Amino acid sequence: MKKIGICSDHTGVDYKARLISYLLGKGYEVVNFGTDSTQSCDYPDFAHPLADAVEAGEVDAGIALCGTGNGMALALNHHRGIRAGLAWNTEVARLVKEHNNANVLVLPARFVSYRSAVLMVRAWLTAEFAGGRHQRRIDKIVQP
Ligand code: RB5
């Protein structure tokens, strides 16, 4: 994964900016889908463009932040090609890739420190999908 899309609502805008710097420093390409304002806004307006870009292969994966993470996860998971997983610690961030092969990592900006957020991003980016029984389970998520 080299090209990462990222979005947030107003609650995640500060962490998003810092995560963009972190990712660029690690050699990733980053596409910022906004918001870049602390003005109150609606998370689906940013979730859907990120999801479209992941589904179209314009970015390899995505990171989304809102207050609890749930709004972003709910909006993102309306897209058939998206598996957006909410993480709140590094072990969950690792498992959301190893077990769920999440192509979008969702972070609850109001409930984790920035340090925790960046460690979760690192854990998710460096983990690998385990396949096997987890692939079988993923195959059962989307209904025909
Ligand atoms: C914004 O107040 C908040 O509702 C939003 O960031 C998110 O937590 C929604 O799920």
Side-chain angles (χ1 to χ4, degrees):
M1 285 198 296
K2 281 311 282 177
K3 193 168 180 182
I4 307 295
I6 190 166
C7 76
S8 74
D9 70 359
H10 53 291
T11 68
V13 75
D14 171 55
Y15 283 12
K16 177 167 65 64
R18 295 162 74 182
L19 286 172
I20 290 171
S21 298
Y22 169 79
L23 290 165
L24 292 174
K26 293 287 176 195
Y28 291 94
E29 259 186 86
V30 182
V31 181
N32 178 9
F33 289 88
T35 182
D36 293 310
S37 164
T38 52
Q39 283 269 330
S40 180
C41 64
D42 302 335
Y43 51 81
D45 294 342
F46 304 94
H48 293 306
L50 172 63
D52 289 340
V54 174
E55 286 186 307
E58 291 162 15
V59 294
D60 299 318
I63 297 168
L65 304 104
C66 68
T68 64
N70 277 311
M72 283 290 183
L74 288 164
L76 289 158
N77 280 316
H78 267 270
H79 292 248
R80 289 179 79 84
I82 299 297
R83 286 178 307 282
L86 176 61
W88 53 92
N89 64 35
T90 50
E91 192 173 5
V92 175
R94 175 177 59 81
L95 288 170
V96 86
K97 173 70 75 58
E98 287 182 6
H99 288 189
N100 311 115
N101 202 15
N103 53 8
V104 183
L105 176 69
V106 185
L107 300 174
R110 278 186 172 150
F111 296 92
V112 296
S113 65
Y114 175 71
R115 176 165 167 73
S116 175
V118 77
L119 290 175
M120 286 192 274
V121 165
R122 188 177 71 177
W124 173 71
L125 284 171
T126 56
E128 290 196 7
F129 178 48
R133 68 186 186 280
H134 300 295
Q135 183 63 56
R136 184 184 69 238
R137 292 164 186 167
I138 285 171
D139 291 341
K140 292 182 178 179
I141 292 174
V142 177
Q143 298 287 291

